[in-house]
């Protein structure tokens, strides 16, 4: 059976599952006032009042059921279908009608229209059962080996010019007091100044337990070096990821021009607001091993009876668990599933090899980095606790679907991912496929599973740069399918379609906007970035650091050092607490850094209750609108007394 027909069969099953899940979602919306309310105390500013009506449960029921049932339906359809295939156009029409129905359903006044539209969608699903268009079989992929030539230096050079700044200090300084770069890398790294501290037990590293250990090795001397190296690391990982994605796309779509066009568009979409590379979450920094992991999975699928590449992928999974726990879990689930199906479901031996190697490697690394205390249950719980916090905090509101730019992230890409999971699961069970076909199928399956998982958290947000980065795996998969379905078209028509797509992409990059999140995006944001590509054409002003950094002088640094030991944990209550500590080379006593933006009130209580001394920057009192600052001031006024002041800092000790 050719790939085009397989795709249409899987798509028909996926949109049928989508229709069923949408019907359940509408029913839950009608009943939501009578369901137990789940209100999470996490103010993210995204319509949380609607969460009182339990829309969060309705939304998760929809997406959860769709992401589980759609791939299963696709695999079942491929397994059971022999004569009919279905129409891709009818499947697209069904998906669009479901999209409209859910959009209408969010307004009680339009709820009857949503029911009518779902009824029409059900008719299209029934009609699609009898559709059986003819497809030209796709050519075998065995004759297209991967080659790297000198010409590939041009796309690499272009990406480097696109992303590398001409003035790293300016890029870093305009970030100012944005906290993400601190909580991701700098904060956890500061604990390395005190020996024997373990994340989860002695401090909170809410992205991955090994991030702080790694960044401590490269953070340099002082706050400015640390801040600049965070941004530099973000840029380096982003560039490396896009270069890997370029080579993978070149191999999959057999076109260097298409590959660099897709990757460049995603790279530009990473730019938002007037500040750049300040938040690791908005860039591929969270999944630097994505491409190499899926390549190892694909190589395992070529010869699934040999455990070599499966073990390699398990090591990458373990490293990802320590780098960013959430991403590592996505890798773990993906690798386990592929191991189970690649050589005939269920392959318990390969599952045991992958899971066992991943967990054993992660534990061994933790033992080497943190010692035997890392084997405690508390360490494990604290590594995974942030996943619960983040999973309940974002987008507790009705599904916000609009016929705008965000539509592609809310449905089409996820349908492509679900179709591919079902299709690839069946395809890997066919030993007749060539080695290259099995490799490509394994790569696509891994990309689809990880891509669907990445999109779950962000499906209900307004336009956000994180969307574009999370979409990277599914965009690669969608590009492969587009190439497969058009491979027999006439070259002139394909070139015309490619040119039209390029023009559309440029227009999208120019005009992408969201009225609910009105920041600069795409090319308009990139125009403010002092890249090497922009350098000859754009005049830039020198970077100016926030005035708070000017308060950290040699006086304050020596004051901290004179009153503490080199391996002592120190509590600083300041807007730039991390910068004071980085300059003084002291580990924080605060359980979370930066303390005054801690997302959990327990972190403040745990920190202040265990402190006997602290250094206080009086500029904090001028910003008492911050709830964490009010909590800290209350603790200081009640339990501490001033001892000595030097420069901008006052040393306080606990009352006797």
């Amino acid at each position: 059976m050719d790939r085009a027909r397989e795709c249409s069969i899987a798509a028909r099953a996926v949109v049928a599952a989508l229709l069923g899940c949408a019907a359940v979602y509408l029913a839950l919306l009608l009943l939501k006032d009578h369901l137990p309310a789940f209100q999470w105390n996490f103010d993210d500013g995204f319509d949380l009042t609607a969460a009182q009506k339990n829309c969060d449960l309705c939304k998760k029921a929809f997406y959860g059921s769709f992401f589980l049932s759609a791939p299963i339906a696709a695999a079942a359809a491929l397994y059971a279908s022999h004569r009919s295939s279905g129409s891709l156009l009818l499947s697209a029409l069904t998906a669009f009608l479901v999209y409209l129905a859910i959009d209408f359903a969010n307004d009680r006044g339009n709820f009857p229209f949503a029911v009518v539209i779902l009824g029409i969608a059900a008719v299209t699903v029934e009609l699609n059962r009898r559709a059986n268009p003819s497809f030209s079989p796709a050519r075998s992929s065995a004759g297209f080996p991967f080659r790297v030539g000198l010409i590939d230096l041009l796309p690499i050079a272009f990406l480097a010019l696109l992303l590398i700044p001409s003035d790293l200090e300016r890029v870093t300084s305009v970030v100012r007091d944005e906290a993400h770069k601190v909580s991701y890398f700098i904060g956890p790294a500061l604990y390395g100044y005190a020996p024997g501290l373990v994340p989860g037990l002695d401090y909170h590293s809410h992205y991955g337990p090994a991030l702080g250990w790694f960044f401590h090795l490269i953070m340099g001397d002082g706050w400015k070096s640390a801040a600049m190296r965070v941004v530099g690391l973000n840029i380096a990982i982003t560039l490396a990821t896009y270069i890997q994605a370029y080579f993978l796309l070149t191999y999959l779509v057999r076109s260097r021009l298409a590959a660099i066009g897709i990757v460049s568009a995603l790279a530009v979409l990473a730019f938002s607001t007037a500040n750049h590379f300040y938040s690791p979450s908005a860039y591929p920094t969270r999944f630097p091993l994505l491409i190499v992991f899926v390549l190892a999975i694909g190589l395992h699928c070529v010869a699934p009876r040999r455990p070599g590449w499966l073990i390699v992928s398990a090591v990458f999974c373990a490293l990802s668990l320590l780098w960013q726990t959430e991403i590592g879990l996505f890798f773990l689930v993906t690798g386990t599933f592929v191991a189970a199906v690649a050589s005939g479901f269920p392959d318990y031996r390969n599952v045991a090899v992958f899971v066992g190697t991943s967990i054993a490697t992660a534990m061994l690394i933790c033992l080497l980095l943190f010692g035997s205390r890392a084997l405690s249950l508390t360490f494990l719980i604290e590594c995974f606790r942030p996943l619960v916090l983040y999973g309940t905090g974002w987008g507790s509101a009705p599904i916000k679907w609009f016929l705008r730019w965000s539509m592609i992230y809310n449905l089409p890409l996820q349908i492509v991912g679900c179709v591919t999971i079902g299709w690839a699961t069946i395809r890997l069970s066919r030993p007749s496929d060539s080695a290259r076909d099995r490799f490509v199928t394994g790569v696509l399956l891994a990309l689809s599973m990880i891509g669907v998982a990445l999109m779950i958290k962000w499906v209900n947000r307004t336009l956000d740069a994180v969307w574009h980065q999370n979409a990277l795996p599914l965009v690669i998969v969608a590009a492969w399918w587009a190439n497969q379905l058009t491979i027999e078209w006439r070259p002139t028509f394909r070139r015309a379609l490619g040119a039209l797509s390029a023009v559309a992409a440029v227009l999208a990059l120019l005009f992408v906007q969201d009225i609910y999140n009105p920041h600069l995006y795409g090319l308009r944001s990139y125009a403010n970035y002092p890249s090497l590509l922009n350098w000859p054409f754009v005049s830039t002003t020198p970077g100016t650091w926030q005035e708070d950094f000017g308060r950290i002088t040699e006086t304050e640094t020596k004051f901290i050092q004179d009153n503490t030991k080199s391996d002592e944990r120190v509590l600083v209550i300041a807007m730039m607490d991390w910068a004071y500590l980085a300059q003084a080379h002291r580990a924080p006593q605060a359980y979370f850094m930066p303390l005054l933006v801690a997302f959990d009130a327990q972190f403040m209580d745990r920190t202040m209750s265990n402190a006997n001394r602290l250094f206080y920057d009086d500029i904090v009192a001028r910003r008492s609108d911050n709830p964490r600052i009010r909590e800290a001031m209350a603790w200081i006024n009640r339990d501490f007394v001033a001892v000595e002041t030097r420069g901008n800092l006052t040393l306080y000790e606990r009352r006797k």
Side-chain angles (χ1 to χ4, degrees):
M1 192 186 301
D2 63 85
R3 292 190 185 90
R5 185 162 177 247
E6 289 172 334
C7 176
S8 64
I9 294 172
R12 185 187 69 193
V14 166
V15 296
L18 176 68
L19 177 64
C21 296
V24 173
Y25 175 70
L26 263 62
L28 286 173
L29 284 181
L30 283 175
L31 297 172
K32 63 184 173 65
D33 292 340
H34 306 286
L35 297 172
F38 291 89
Q39 172 63 45
W40 304 97
N41 185 22
F42 192 104
D43 183 12
D44 62 357
F46 282 91
D47 199 12
L48 276 180
T49 55
Q52 301 280 2
K53 300 299 184 182
N54 206 19
C55 293
D56 189 49
L57 178 63
C58 302
K59 181 192 72 175
K60 289 178 179 177
F62 171 80
Y63 282 116
S65 57
F66 175 59
F67 291 147
L68 287 175
S69 63
I72 296 172
L78 284 166
Y79 183 79
S81 296
H82 300 287
R83 290 176 293 181
S84 66
S85 62
S87 167
L88 287 176
L89 291 177
L90 277 175
S91 295
L93 177 60
T94 304
F96 180 70
L97 290 172
V98 171
Y99 195 102
L100 284 179
I102 292 182
D103 189 30
F104 277 117
N106 291 326
D107 184 349
R108 281 293 181 92
N110 291 327
F111 206 89
F113 292 101
V115 176
V116 172
I117 293 172
L118 277 189
I120 298 173
V123 173
T124 63
V125 170
E126 179 62 27
L127 291 175
N128 208 0
R129 291 182 59 189
R130 294 186 288 272
N132 190 20
S134 59
F135 290 100
S136 299
R139 289 177 294 184
S140 171
S141 57
F144 294 91
F146 176 65
R147 294 189 179 92
V148 177
L150 290 177
I151 194 172
D152 290 306
L153 293 176
L154 294 177
I156 294 174
F158 175 75
L159 288 173
L161 293 172
L162 185 75
L163 295 174
I164 296 176
S166 58
D167 187 344
L168 180 61
E169 182 170 351
R170 178 179 178 272
V171 174
T172 308
S173 66
V174 297
V175 172
R176 305 173 71 81
D177 59 352
E178 215 291 331
H180 283 84
K181 66 179 182 295
V182 180
S183 64
Y184 205 102
F185 281 119
I186 300 177
L190 290 173
Y191 295 96
Y193 285 121
L197 299 184
V198 179
L201 302 180
D202 302 308
Y203 63 92
H204 184 74
S205 179
H206 68 169
Y207 292 99
L211 283 173
W213 177 89
F214 168 78
F215 192 71
H216 184 77
L217 299 177
I218 65 171
M219 66 186 294
D221 185 18
W223 62 264
K224 181 182 286 189
S225 171
M228 291 178 63
R229 292 188 184 188
V230 165
V231 175
L233 182 62
N234 283 344
I235 295 170
I237 293 176
T238 300
L239 178 59
T241 301
Y242 285 139
I243 289 174
Q244 295 172 61
Y246 160 75
F247 282 112
L248 179 57
L249 269 168
T250 300
Y251 180 64
L252 293 176
V253 303
R254 307 165 192 168
S255 170
R256 289 184 172 90
L257 186 60
I260 190 60
I262 293 169
V263 169
S264 299
L266 285 172
V268 173
L269 280 173
F271 289 87
S272 63
T273 75
N275 301 332
H276 309 106
F277 290 105
Y278 64 90
S279 175
S281 294
Y283 300 93
T285 309
R286 290 174 302 125
F287 40 86
L289 299 178
L290 170 68
I291 303 298
V292 293
F293 173 77
V294 299
L295 290 177
I297 287 291
L299 289 168
H300 165 69
C301 292
V302 174
R305 295 297 180 186
R306 300 174 183 174
W309 284 110
L310 189 63
I311 293 174
V312 172
S313 66
V315 172
F316 290 145
C317 175
L319 294 173
S320 296
L321 281 167
L322 301 179
W323 182 264
Q324 219 275 2
T325 309
E326 183 180 57
I327 302 300
L329 286 177
F330 297 161
F331 286 9
L332 184 65
V333 172
T334 299
T336 301
F337 181 79
V338 175
V341 304
S343 60
F345 181 80
D347 190 328
Y348 296 113
R349 188 203 68 160
N350 280 349
V351 168
V353 168
F354 179 81
V355 174
T357 304
S358 298
I359 295 176
T361 303
M363 291 177 62
L364 177 60
I365 295 175
C366 286
L367 280 172
L368 293 174
L369 297 184
F370 308 119
S372 59
R373 293 178 68 206
L375 295 179
S376 69
L377 181 60
T378 303
F379 172 80
L380 184 64
I381 292 174
E382 288 299 309
C383 284
F384 292 100
R385 192 167 72 92
L387 303 181
V388 179
L389 293 173
Y390 305 151
T392 59
W394 291 118
S396 298
I399 294 178
K400 301 174 183 177
W401 282 359
F402 306 100
L403 298 179
R404 300 189 183 101
W405 170 269
S406 60
M407 177 180 177
I408 189 172
Y409 298 106
N410 287 328
L411 199 60
L413 281 178
Q414 292 150 347
I415 288 177
V416 170
C418 290
V419 167
T420 306
I421 293 170
W423 167 82
T425 300
I426 295 297
R427 195 85 197 186
L428 285 176
S429 67
R430 299 171 180 170
S432 59
D433 280 353
S434 67
R436 186 195 186 275
D437 283 342
R438 292 186 62 84
F439 169 74
V440 170
T441 303
V443 166
L444 296 174
L445 176 57
L447 286 171
S448 298
M449 292 190 67
I450 296 170
V452 166
L454 285 171
M455 297 299 289
I456 289 175
K457 180 178 174 181
W458 298 91
V459 286
N460 201 35
R461 294 291 299 276
T462 53
L463 188 61
D464 194 295
V466 181
W467 258 356
H468 313 306
Q469 305 315 304
N470 286 0
L472 173 63
L474 293 183
V475 168
I476 294 174
V477 175
W480 182 85
W481 276 114
N483 178 71
Q484 289 296 306
L485 297 176
T486 62
I487 199 168
E488 291 298 321
W489 292 4
R490 282 185 283 185
T492 54
F493 189 73
R494 279 169 59 93
R495 283 193 291 268
L497 183 62
L500 183 63
S501 300
V503 171
V506 172
L507 291 175
L509 293 174
L510 278 171
F511 298 110
V512 58
Q513 190 62 57
D514 188 336
I515 61 175
Y516 295 98
N517 197 13
H519 293 296
L520 295 174
Y521 290 96
L523 285 170
R524 287 178 298 153
S525 174
Y526 181 77
N528 299 313
Y529 179 61
S531 67
L532 294 175
L533 194 64
N534 283 337
W535 177 65
F537 311 105
V538 178
S539 59
T540 59
T541 57
T544 303
W545 293 90
Q546 186 175 345
E547 62 179 352
D548 290 46
F549 290 111
R551 302 175 64 82
I552 307 170
T553 68
E554 182 64 26
T555 299
E556 288 77 21
T557 302
K558 195 169 189 305
F559 185 40
I560 294 174
Q561 292 174 336
D562 289 345
N563 287 276
T564 59
K565 299 177 181 178
S566 60
D567 59 351
E568 182 180 346
R569 299 182 68 176
V570 179
L571 177 59
V572 177
I573 304 297
M575 301 307 298
M576 300 296 176
D577 51 358
W578 64 271
Y580 279 109
L581 292 167
Q583 202 69 19
H585 290 198
R586 294 295 188 266
Q589 187 168 4
Y591 189 70
F592 176 83
M593 292 293 292
L595 179 62
L596 297 182
V597 296
F599 57 85
D600 192 329
Q602 294 182 13
F603 295 166
M604 175 63 73
D605 294 341
R606 180 169 181 171
T607 297
M608 299 301 294
S609 63
N610 292 327
N612 292 318
R613 295 193 304 168
L614 61 87
F615 295 88
Y616 172 74
D617 185 343
D618 59 6
I619 198 174
V620 168
R622 307 176 201 173
R623 303 175 186 178
S624 58
D625 55 329
N626 184 316
R628 296 291 176 260
I629 291 179
R630 292 197 298 269
E631 292 172 18
M633 295 290 294
W635 275 94
I636 293 173
N637 293 333
R638 186 182 68 242
D639 296 341
F640 292 84
V641 60
V643 174
E644 180 183 358
T645 298
R646 195 183 304 175
N648 296 309
L649 292 180
T650 299
L651 174 62
Y652 281 79
E653 291 185 354
R654 186 173 291 275
R655 296 180 189 274
K656 300 297 185 181

